[in-house]
Amino acid sequence: MNQLRVGMIGYKFMGKAHSNAYRTLPMFFPEAVKPEMAVLCGRDGQAVQRAAEQLGWRQYVTDWKELVARDDIDLIDINAPSDAHKEIALAAAKAGKHIFCEKPLALTLSDSREMLQAAEEAGVCHMVGFNYRFSPAVKLVKKLVESGRLGQIYHFRAWFLQDWILDPEFPLVWRLQKEIAGSGSHGDLGAHLIDLAHYLVGDISEVIGMSETFIKERPLADEMTGLSAKSSKGKDAPKGPVTVDDATLFLARFENGALGSFEATRFAAGHRSTNAFEINGSLGSVKFDFERMNELEVYFTSDDEDVQGFRRVVATDPAHAYAEAWWPPGHTLGFEHTFIHEVLELGEAISASRQPEPNFRDGVKCQAVLEAVERSVSERRWVDLSEM
Amino acid sequence: MNQLRVGMIGYKFMGKAHSNAYRTLPMFFPEAVKPEMAVLCGRDGQAVQRAAEQLGWRQYVTDWKELVARDDIDLIDINAPSDAHKEIALAAAKAGKHIFCEKPLALTLSDSREMLQAAEEAGVCHMVGFNYRFSPAVKLVKKLVESGRLGQIYHFRAWFLQDWILDPEFPLVWRLQKEIAGSGSHGDLGAHLIDLAHYLVGDISEVIGMSETFIKERPLADEMTGLSAKSSKGKDAPKGPVTVDDATLFLARFENGALGSFEATRFAAGHRSTNAFEINGSLGSVKFDFERMNELEVYFTSDDEDVQGFRRVVATDPAHAYAEAWWPPGHTLGFEHTFIHEVLELGEAISASRQPEPNFRDGVKCQAVLEAVERSVSERRWVDLSEM
Amino acid sequence: MNQLRVGMIGYKFMGKAHSNAYRTLPMFFPEAVKPEMAVLCGRDGQAVQRAAEQLGWRQYVTDWKELVARDDIDLIDINAPSDAHKEIALAAAKAGKHIFCEKPLALTLSDSREMLQAAEEAGVCHMVGFNYRFSPAVKLVKKLVESGRLGQIYHFRAWFLQDWILDPEFPLVWRLQKEIAGSGSHGDLGAHLIDLAHYLVGDISEVIGMSETFIKERPLADEMTGLSAKSSKGKDAPKGPVTVDDATLFLARFENGALGSFEATRFAAGHRSTNAFEINGSLGSVKFDFERMNELEVYFTSDDEDVQGFRRVVATDPAHAYAEAWWPPGHTLGFEHTFIHEVLELGEAISASRQPEPNFRDGVKCQAVLEAVERSVSERRWVDLSEM
Amino acid sequence: MNQLRVGMIGYKFMGKAHSNAYRTLPMFFPEAVKPEMAVLCGRDGQAVQRAAEQLGWRQYVTDWKELVARDDIDLIDINAPSDAHKEIALAAAKAGKHIFCEKPLALTLSDSREMLQAAEEAGVCHMVGFNYRFSPAVKLVKKLVESGRLGQIYHFRAWFLQDWILDPEFPLVWRLQKEIAGSGSHGDLGAHLIDLAHYLVGDISEVIGMSETFIKERPLADEMTGLSAKSSKGKDAPKGPVTVDDATLFLARFENGALGSFEATRFAAGHRSTNAFEINGSLGSVKFDFERMNELEVYFTSDDEDVQGFRRVVATDPAHAYAEAWWPPGHTLGFEHTFIHEVLELGEAISASRQPEPNFRDGVKCQAVLEAVERSVSERRWVDLSEM
C-alpha cells in the first residue's frame, strides 16, 4: 500500500494543520505513504466548499455519515469539536476505516474507552493527535530517557501557559463550554502535558489537583470558533456562564517513583503558548519549551567537573529525528512540522499493519488521568489511577 | 543610637554571610547604624577563635549563655544549627536583646510561636533570615505588586532546585537528619519560597503536598558541616538512615484567590541553586531566578500590541532598590548582598524602634505552612491553615 | 491575473525551499496569486525527473534554454549554482519572463548590473532571494525603524556564523570554489547581512574588510552538492585548493552616519547557522537571531525607568506580519516560511505590475558592497562605494 | 611578609571598589597577605576625610607627594583620573613603592612606557587594573584555551556596550574630555576588551579602526565625577565640545592567525554595561557576557553528536577559580569580586617577589593597541603593531 485515501471532518485550526501535513509529507518524505486528500466534511456547505478549495481537498461533503460510508476512503480524520469525536469514531470503526482523532479523544473516560474498544474490535489503526511528541527535540528526550542516559527519573514538572482569555471581555467561545469542550485548560492544555509524561516518564499512579475559574461569566459571542470570536455588543453584551476551568494544577506520583507537577492555565499573562517541561534524573536533566521548539537543554552529571552546565542543543542536526528530511543544521522548524511527522508515523503504521503511536490506548490513558484529577478536585482527595 | 553591638552564635556558611554583611554595611550605607562585631560564639574554642580572627570579630566565647548574659551586647545573631535556635532565642529575649535568627525559626511551629511570644513580651526587635527578599529584583516585584501594576494575582509558581546530594554516596550530614534540621528540602529550600509567597502574594489558606526521600540510607560522615562532609571509608562506610525529605511539592490556595505551586528538591541534576518563581496577574507577569539574581523578567498587558514581551530588567539602575549605594548600572551584585541589605533593614528597624521585616511573625507564618504541608503529606489530605 | 506559471531551474536546497513555498502559498494565503508548478529544469534527466515528482512539478526538462523559450511560462526561478545565474537571467529577460533569482545575483558586480539592465529593459519583474527579510520578526524591525520608534540609528552589528566546514577533512564542495561560488562565507552569508543592513538601516558609504582562508587545501569530493559531499578515500584522498574565504569581516559607515560591523564565518564552532544582528538607535534597540527566528528583542528608552529592559517579543501575534495567516499566537514558524512570504511578495508585485522587494537593484547594491569589501581586502584600504 | 601597607590616591568609583577589596580579602582568603588600609589621599580635605571614614582608611592626606614619600607605606594604589597616573607612578617607583594603577595606565603609549621602565628599574611590583580577568568565568576561559581544549583559535569577537551618555543633554563630565580621559569609549571600554584578547588569545599584529562622536557638544556640568554630573541650567546650559570618541570599532589580526573584531560604544540603548566576547576555536567555543558574569557558555566539538550545544556553566563550583573561598555552588558573585581577586593576585605576587598579572607590561601592550587603532583611524589605514 502506498496510497492513503483520507476523509477529514473539520477544517478549522486543526483541519488546517492536518491538511498542510498531508500535502507536505510527500515532498519531504518521498518514501512515505502518500496521503490522498480525498474528501473534506463540514456542516456548512459553502464554508466547507471554500475550505476544500483552499486546503486542497478533491471533494467535500456536509454529512459525515455519508463520508464514513464511502468505500473509497481508507482513513477518517476527526478534528471536529470534541463532543462529536465519539459518534464519528464509532461509525468509522464500524465501517472498517482507520481513524486519526484529535485530542482529547472524548468528553469522558468511558466514551474514550468505548472508542478504543470499537477500534480494536474492528481491527483498524487508530491514532490520537498528541502532536507535541513529534518535535525533534521531544524525540531526543525520548531517546535520552530510553537509553538510560538520564538515569533513574526523579522529577517531571510541566506547565502549559496561555493568556488568550485573560481579558474578562473575551467572549464565551465553545472551548469555554463544558458540554462541547469537556473541560477547559485541563483537557485542552493539560492533556498534552499528561501525554508527554506518559510518553517520556511512564504511567501515573495517583494524583491530586486544584482547579479554578477566575472569570465566571463572559459575553456571549455572535460568531465564534474555538479560539476566537467577536462580540459586537461590547460592555452591554449579554453574558453566559463559563463552565470549564481556567486553570488546573495537579501533583502526581508515577509508578516508577518519580514525582510530577502539572499546571495548565489560560491566565498567564505574557505566555502565548508556553508548553514546557523539565525532567530530572540521576544522571542528567532536560528542559523543553515549545516556544523554542527546536531547542532542548540537556545536562549530564558525567560532564567534566569544570564545564558542567545545561547544553542548548538545537535539534536540527543529522543526528536528530526528521532533521535530514528538512533543511541544513541550524535551519529551524515550526509548529506545523509536528503534524507532518505525526502523519508520517500514521502512514508508516498503517503500511506496516501496526498501531501508530500515540493511539487510542494513549488517548484513554490520558483521559483517565484527566478524570482522576477532576475527581480529586471535586472530592478534595488523592485519587489512585486504579480507581478509574 | 548609631552603634549596634552584635554577638553572633555560629560561624559556618551563614555566619560568614552575616559577618560579611556587618563589615561591609558601613562602607556602602554610611548613614546606616554601624554594627560593631563584638563577640563570636561557638562550641569549639580553637575553631571559634580562628573564625573570629578571620571574620573580624573582636572577641570570642564558647558558651552562648555567657554571651547572652553580657550587657555590652545589643543584638544576638543566631545562625547555629536549627535545633539550637529556640533555646537561645528565648534566653536572648529574656535578657532583653534584639534577635536576628536564621531560618527556619525553629524545628516546630509551636517552638516558633514560643519564640515569637517571648520576643514580643520582651519588647525586643526580632528578625528572621529570609534573605532573598533583599534582592533588588525581588524588591522590584514587591513594588510592582503593591502598586497594582500586575493587577489581580492569579498564579504563583515557585521552585527551589538543587542537586548537591544527588550522588547516593554523599554522606549523612546534619541537614539530612530530622532531629537537627527539622526537615530536608522542605524547610531548607521550600521555606524561602513560602516566605516569598507571603511577602509578594499574601497569606495562604490551604495546602496539599507530596514528599519523597529518594535515597533512604547514606554513608555516615567522619566530619561534617551542614553542606559538605567527608566519608573516608568509601563504599564500606557504615550507613545511616536519611530522616528528612529529599523533595517536597505542594499546591496552595491563597486567601486572595491566587493558585500556588511549590517545589523544593535536592535531586534536580544541573541545578546548583535555582531559586525561581513566577507571578501572573491580570495586568502583567514577572519571572525571577536567583541564579540570575540581578535580573527580573517583567511583562505588561498594556504594552503596544506589536511589542509585547517579557522584558529582561537588570535591577542595577538608580530606580532600583539599593542600587545607588553600589556600582554604576549594569554592574551586578551577588548572593552576599542580600545579607547586607537584610542587616540594613535590621539596623533601621532597631533605630526606629519598629519591628524589622521579615520578623518572627513571618517566621511563624512560614512554619505554619511548612507544618501544614507536612500534615497534608502524612494525612494525605488538604490542610486548612486555620487548623494550624 | 491570478495564476503564475513557474519554470524553475535547480532543485537542491533552494529548489526544495522554493517548491515548498509555491505549493504551500495557496493554502495559507488564499487571496494570493496561485503559482502553478509547471516545469522543473536540471541537467541530469533522471535526477530532475525524480525531483519533479517528489516536489510536485508537472513537467521537467533538462535544457534551460528550452524552458526559457516556452510561451506557457510566466516566471523563471533560478536557483542553480551561482555561476549559472547570469546567462539564464539574460535569456529569461530577453524572452520577457519575470525572474526570481537566488542570491548572490551573480559572481561579479558587473554581471549583476548587466542582469539588472536586461531585466529593466525587458520590463519584467525581477526579484532576488534575500529570504531573511521575510521573517515576521525582521518585518517588525523594519516597521520600528521606519516609524521612527528606534530614533536615529547609531549602530548596526551583524554576524552570520556557521561551522559546517570546521573539520579540515570536510571535502572541497562547489561552495568552496571561487569559479562556481564567487566567494565563500562573504557572498554566501555576508550577502544576507548586507541586504538586511540595506533594508533596515540604509545605504553604506564606505567599507574596510579582512578575510581569511584557515584551511587552504581540502580533500576532493567524489560526489557533491554545495553543502555536503562524500570523499571516499579518507586521509589519502587527493586534495585541491580552497579558493574562497572561510571568514570575512568588515567595518562600514552608513550614509546616515551609523556605524556597521559585519562578520561572516564558517569556522564558529557550535554555530550551525547563527544569523544575527543588533541595531542601536537613539530611542531604542533591537536584537535578532535567526536560530530563534520567531523572536525579537526590543528595547525602548521611553519605558518607565524601573522596568527598562529588552523585551522578548514572539512575533506570532495578530499585530505581526503574516501571523494571522498561520497559527494562533505562540505557535512558531520555521526557516521555510521565509520563502513562502517571499513568494507572496513576488506574486503580489507581478499582479500589481510593480517591482517586488528585494529586486535586482538590491542584488546589485549588495554585490557592490561585497566587491567593495573584496577590493578593500586586497588593497588593504577603505573603499568608498562611489568607486564601485 | 604578611602585611601590606597601602596608600591609595582616589576614592570615587574605583577607590570604593579597591577599598572594598582590601577590606574583604582577609575574610574570605585568610591565607592571603593582609592589606592594611593605611592612608587615603585626595585633593579635597573634607571629602577625603569623609571618604576615609566611610571606606575604612586609618588616615588621610591631601598631597599625594607626601603620601609617596612616607616610609610606612608599601603599596601605592592609583585610581585618580587618568591624566594623573603617570606623575604619581613615576614618583612611587622612585620611592621604591609597589604600584597598583588603574587602567588605562596613561594617556599615551610613551607615557605608559616611561611608567613601565621606571617601575622595572626601581625593582618594584607593578599591577594594572584590568579587573575583568578575575571573573571566575574568565579564568575558566583562560584554562580552556591554555590547556588546548578549544584547539586553535580562529575568532575573537568582543563588544563593550553602554548607554549612559545616550541622552544628548547628559553633561560634559571629565570622561568626555580628551585632556583628562585620553579617549572615550575606546580607552575606557575597549581597553578592557584588548586586555582580555591579549590574555586569552595572544598578541595582536595589526589593526584598523573606525571612530565616531555622535553628539559633538554637551552642556557643561556644574559638578561632576567621571560617570555622573548635574547641570543645573537645563536647556540653556552653556555647552562645550566633546573631545573623545563615543564609539570605536576595529578589526584585528592576531599573531597566531586568529581574526578579531572589537567594538566599544556608549550609544547602545538598553546596554547598561554589556562587556561580552566570544572565542571560536577548532575544538570548541566560549561565550561570555559580564552582565551574567557568573556564567560561561562553552561548546565542544567532541560532544556526542546528538547532544552538541553550548553549555551554560555557572562558574561557582569547587572546580572553578576562587569559588571555594566564597559560597556554595549556584550562589553567585558580583562585580566587586573581580577586585577582591585582583588584590589577592597582587598580594601573592608581592609576597613571592614576582610581578603580578596583569602588570605594566600588559598596560603598555594595551596602550600600544589603543594608539595603533587611533592612528589607523586618523590615517585611514591598517597599522602594524611593530610600528608602535
Side-chain angles (χ1 to χ4, degrees), chain A residues 299-312:
Chain A
Y299 177 91
F300 296 114
T301 60
S302 57
D303 278 344
D304 288 344
E305 60 178 9
D306 59 355
V307 287
Q308 298 199 335
F310 277 90
R311 304 173 186 189
R312 188 173 76 89

Side-chain angles (χ1 to χ4, degrees), chain A residues 9-10 28 80 108 120-121 186 225 231 237 248 250 257 292 317:
Chain A
I9 301 152
F28 292 91
T108 67
E120 297 268 287
E121 284 174 6
H186 188 45
T225 71
S231 174
T248 294
F250 67 98
R292 290 175 170 169
D317 283 348

